[in-house]
Each structure stands twice: as C-alpha cells, then as structure tokens.
Amino acid sequence: MVNKKVAVVYEEFSENVVLNQIIKATLIYLSRSNKINQIIRRLFHELLPYYTEVSDVELDLMLWKNVRYNRQNIRYQFIVDL
C-alpha cells in the first residue's frame, strides 16, 4: 500500500434527456390543440418554462423506441406512458 490512489466516479445530470423531450413535446402539442378547453391549454402552456433547457423534438416512433427506464428514471414511467 505504498502507492495509495483514490478513484472518483460521478455523473453529470442533464435536463435534456429523451423523457423530458417527450414531456415537452406533449405539452406543446396539448397547449396548441383545439380539442382541449382553452383553460386547460393555458395550464399546459404555463408548464413550458420549466423545460427551457430541453430540446424541441417531434413525437415519432423512433423517439419512443429510445425510451428506456431504469432505477434513476422509473418515476417518469407513469406520466410518459399516460
């Protein structure tokens, strides 16, 4: 134990992940939909500032294929599946 070493492992978390992109795209879609009451659309629109750091994406099949749940993001599953 003459050469003591320390290894530091850390992760950088980003808001710009697929699950947040899906939520943001859904909020944009719902806030613009004429099939929803105007008051509800406004509520969806008011949530968008929380997603300013998240990229805009188009909801398509390829995006859904990239969804993977794990221990860190399992709480997303209900809202994304909904």
Side-chain angles (χ1 to χ4, degrees):
M1 296 206 123
V2 176
N3 295 327
K4 297 179 183 179
K5 296 181 181 177
V6 174
V8 177
V9 177
Y10 69 94
E11 293 183 34
E12 290 187 28
F13 293 98
S14 171
E15 295 174 17
N16 194 21
V17 295
V18 172
L19 295 170
N20 282 341
Q21 292 169 352
I22 290 172
I23 293 170
K24 181 178 181 180
T26 304
L27 287 172
I28 291 170
Y29 175 80
L30 293 173
S31 68
R32 295 178 180 168
S33 175
N34 291 330
K35 298 177 182 179
I36 298 175
N37 182 318
Q38 184 176 4
I39 295 169
I40 304 288
R41 285 191 316 224
R42 191 175 303 129
L43 290 173
F44 289 131
H45 185 73
E46 289 172 1
L47 293 172
L48 288 172
Y50 293 103
Y51 293 89
T52 55
E53 298 297 320
V54 178
S55 298
D56 292 331
V57 295
E58 195 170 320
L59 292 174
D60 62 1
L61 186 58
M62 290 304 294
L63 186 64
W64 292 102
K65 287 183 177 184
N66 289 330
V67 173
R68 299 284 183 261
Y69 296 109
N70 56 43
R71 288 186 344 196
Q72 284 79 27
N73 66 13
I74 195 68
R75 293 174 190 243
Y76 280 89
Q77 187 171 7
F78 175 75
I79 194 67
V80 170
D81 289 350
L82 183 67

